[in-house]
Amino acid sequence: MENTLQQQGRAAREASRVLATAGTEKKNAALEAIASVLTDRQEEWLRANEQDLEAAERAGMRPALIDRLRLTPERIAGIVEGIRQIIVLPDPIGRVDKMETRPNGLIIGRRRVPLGVIAIIFEARPNVTVDAAALCLKSGNVCILRGGREAIHSNRCAAKLMREALAQAGLPGDCISLVQDTRRETANELMHLDEYVDVLIPRGGAGLIRTVAKEASVPVIRTGEGICHIYVDNEADMDMAARILYNAKCSRPSVCNAAECVLVHREAAEGFWEKALPLLDGREVELRADKPGMEILGARALPASEEDWDTEYGDYILAVRTVENLEEAIEFINAHGTGHSECIVTADYFKAQRFLDAVDAAAVYVNASTRFTDGGEFGLGAEIGISTQKMHARGPMGLEELTSYKYVIYGEGQLR
């Protein structure tokens, strides 16, 4: 007898056959219905979110993580705007990437198709529930969502509202489904639901991503591990460098594109910290510095340990490393980064180009905050995650990254 998750998987597979051929107009109508219901019934969603926030506070969750969990009318408006941005994006499904005629007369093309059923395991961010569902829907994919227990009330409410909207638009409600059981055993079962799930995307902290990548038998796209660096060159504009670091670390420290480590050229250190400290002090950022950094920062910093160079804090904590030159910075980033987002602040064109060429990451910046690594900021609409791997998808995963392709061949009786 099938258990609940197997039934959910089977229903998702059946829905995927309908959604794959639904057409752009019908998918967009469903997305508009979702946007409308989330707006019209946002108080319902906010009440559910309040239950999660109260539980998080009772459990002693860190403020930065509570911030990730929190919904507000403004954040819901942003989520809805993200849906409407997806509506106006071109539908990749059915697009033919290339078509050529072979010497034997066969016409061979490559057509974009959905991946099928996508399972997404994520942590305490209720906006992911909607972002992921909307992107999957527009790209013709059915999604099975498994959020963390911290956001279970918010996620249940969002899923219920979206499924109602799907029914109003004439699509199966099972195009979007939420795993109701948040036990670890259920997540493990989802990782092995090979019969129904085509790809699994973990979205959360390093621990979650590594566990899924290690345990899953379903194909996995790794996302989100974000040990991001800002390198301040000796030829940087120090005011600019201080502002970029402040934004990258402090605008939202809990997200994966926030900076976790600043590398400062030895010759720039005193001038840079004179500009940066007043900004960081405003948010009481804890600094963990190497020995040269401690000599400048003194009591303002704590001594860094080796673990600090490989830690994604997700909080107002920043590792500080002093380097002798650009090459040392590049070597350090490639050794300790997670392939997410890296930045150089410099006025030297040739150093900037060397950094762009040599740093191995999904997004490499010159004189701009790493916080821009985001589907919306890149013009992709809401993203399903930031892929840090190199196969199939890398960087913000928008609609096209949620597709595969199949070859279509037209003949006139050719035989081999």
Side-chain angles (χ1 to χ4, degrees), residues 49 103 121 155 175 181 186 188 193-194 257 273 300 353 355 357:
N49 182 244
I121 298 178
N155 292 341
C175 289
D181 186 347
T186 307
N188 188 66
L193 208 63
D194 307 70
N257 56 21
W273 288 115
R300 179 60 182 81
Q353 294 306 306
F355 191 86
D357 291 342

Side-chain angles (χ1 to χ4, degrees), residues 86-155:
I86 292 171
I87 290 173
V88 301
L89 289 172
D91 187 347
I93 300 305
R95 187 180 71 212
V96 177
D97 291 340
K98 62 179 182 179
M99 184 76 78
E100 61 180 34
T101 302
R102 300 294 298 152
N104 62 2
L106 286 178
I107 301 172
I108 301 177
R110 195 169 69 178
R111 180 186 293 172
R112 286 280 156 190
V113 296
L115 292 172
V117 177
I118 300 176
I120 303 151
I121 298 178
F122 56 101
E123 294 176 337
R125 293 183 64 181
N127 64 297
V128 174
T129 310
V130 177
D131 290 349
L135 277 167
C136 286
L137 185 63
K138 180 65 179 264
S139 57
N141 295 290
V142 165
C143 62
I144 300 175
L145 306 167
R146 196 277 186 186
R149 68 180 182 278
E150 298 86 356
I152 186 60
H153 296 96
S154 305
N155 292 341

Side-chain angles (χ1 to χ4, degrees), residues 161-230:
L161 294 176
M162 289 190 291
R163 287 168 64 89
E164 290 178 12
L166 286 170
Q168 293 170 14
L171 285 173
D174 288 318
C175 289
I176 300 170
S177 64
L178 177 74
V179 177
Q180 302 291 322
D181 186 347
T182 61
R183 291 177 305 148
R184 184 169 297 179
E185 292 81 2
T186 307
N188 188 66
E189 185 180 352
L190 184 59
M191 295 180 208
H192 295 89
L193 208 63
D194 307 70
E195 185 177 356
Y196 301 117
V197 174
D198 294 291
V199 67
L200 175 61
I201 301 174
R203 183 166 173 177
L208 168 68
I209 294 163
R210 290 169 188 168
T211 297
V212 171
K214 180 180 178 181
E215 298 295 333
S217 57
V218 173
V220 173
I221 298 177
R222 295 182 67 145
T223 69
E225 290 180 87
I227 300 178
C228 305
H229 300 78
I230 307 290

